[in-house]
């Protein structure tokens, strides 16, 4: 069993400090924009890369460091579906549920994932390894149905291929 990301063990109400690497990366972004708010998504991505998800404390720290209003950062973090506002697994499954994928069977793919892993959309497995977050469109309609797994796009899926992917994630190649 894989241990949860260390940031998953930190309560969400703890004071968060930006690391030197995060500050350096955010400073580089700030050098290239006339308005600090223009870096919000990229700064959140930087923090998420290092922490696994964006807690309220992360938003507070970013707001304080950049002088971007807390409410502006929070609204971006809440709106953008690839910024995770709660702990996620080490593997994130993003089956597409856009219209083309739905027509080609994405609903069956998502049901297969839920049945196999015993999780519903938005949930993480009990061992904290896998999170299921469907996305509205992955832009690969000609290869439908598709699923993004940790930045790798799987194309023309069916239930059998989906189970094989899940087995490979578990280390049980079939």
């Amino acid at each position: 069993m894989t241990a949860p990301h260390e940031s998953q063990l930190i309560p969400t109400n703890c004071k968060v400090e930006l690391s030197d690497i995060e500050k350096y990366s955010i400073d580089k972004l700030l050098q290239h924009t006339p308005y600090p708010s223009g870096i919000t998504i990229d700064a959140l991505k930087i923090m998420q890369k290092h922490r696994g998800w964006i807690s309220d404390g992360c938003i507070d720290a970013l707001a304080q460091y950049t002088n971007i209003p807390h409410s502006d950062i929070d609204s971006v973090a809440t709106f953008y579906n690839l910024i995770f506002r709660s702990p996620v697994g080490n593997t994130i499954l993003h089956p597409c549920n856009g219209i083309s994928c739905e027509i080609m069977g994405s609903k069956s793919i998502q049901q297969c994932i839920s049945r196999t892993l015993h999780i519903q959309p938005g949930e993480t497995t009990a061992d904290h390894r896998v999170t299921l977050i469907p996305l509205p469109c992955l832009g690969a309609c000609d290869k439908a149905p598709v699923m993004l797994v940790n930045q790798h796009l799987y194309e023309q899926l069916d239930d059998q291929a989906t189970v094989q992917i899940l087995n490979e994630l578990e280390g049980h190649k079939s």
Side-chain angles (χ1 to χ4, degrees):
M1 178 165 102
T2 303
H5 193 281
E6 72 179 47
S7 64
Q8 292 174 334
L9 305 174
I10 300 170
T12 58
N13 59 353
C14 286
K15 179 161 175 50
V16 172
E17 305 248 345
L18 295 175
S19 70
D20 289 341
I21 277 187
E22 290 169 325
K23 288 178 183 177
Y24 175 80
S25 299
I26 290 167
D27 287 344
K28 284 189 70 134
L29 292 173
L30 287 167
Q31 290 173 2
H32 299 288
T33 184
Y35 303 103
S37 61
I39 69 154
T40 303
I41 289 174
D42 290 326
L44 288 167
K45 286 180 181 178
I46 288 167
M47 293 179 76
Q48 182 170 280
K49 177 181 176 187
H50 294 280
R51 298 165 187 269
W53 64 290
I54 299 297
S55 67
D56 291 341
C58 289
I59 291 176
D60 292 340
L62 184 59
Q64 183 177 2
Y65 188 74
T66 61
N67 291 319
I68 300 170
H70 182 278
S71 59
D72 290 359
I73 297 172
D74 185 58
S75 66
V76 170
T78 303
F79 174 78
Y80 188 55
N81 58 13
L82 292 177
I83 297 296
F84 310 124
R85 295 290 284 134
S86 59
V88 293
N90 293 329
T91 299
I92 303 168
L93 306 178
H94 294 295
C96 179
N97 63 6
I99 189 67
S100 294
C101 284
E102 188 171 318
I103 289 169
M104 297 302 290
S106 67
K107 204 171 274 188
S108 176
I109 302 303
Q110 189 170 302
Q111 289 169 345
C112 179
I113 295 167
S114 291
R115 188 173 53 251
T116 304
L117 299 179
H118 309 289
I119 57 174
Q120 296 301 311
E123 294 180 347
T124 300
T125 55
D127 62 4
H128 304 287
R129 290 183 65 184
V130 181
T131 300
L132 173 60
I133 303 175
L135 293 179
C137 183
L138 294 175
C141 301
D142 60 324
K143 298 167 183 78
V146 298
M147 176 171 59
L148 193 61
V149 179
N150 289 348
Q151 307 305 315
H152 178 70
L153 185 68
Y154 289 90
E155 304 168 351
Q156 299 174 329
L157 293 173
D158 57 21
D159 287 359
Q160 182 179 354
T162 302
V163 168
Q164 183 176 349
I165 292 165
L166 298 176
N167 285 339
E168 288 173 3
L169 291 174
E170 292 295 315
H172 308 106
K173 301 202 188 256
S174 50

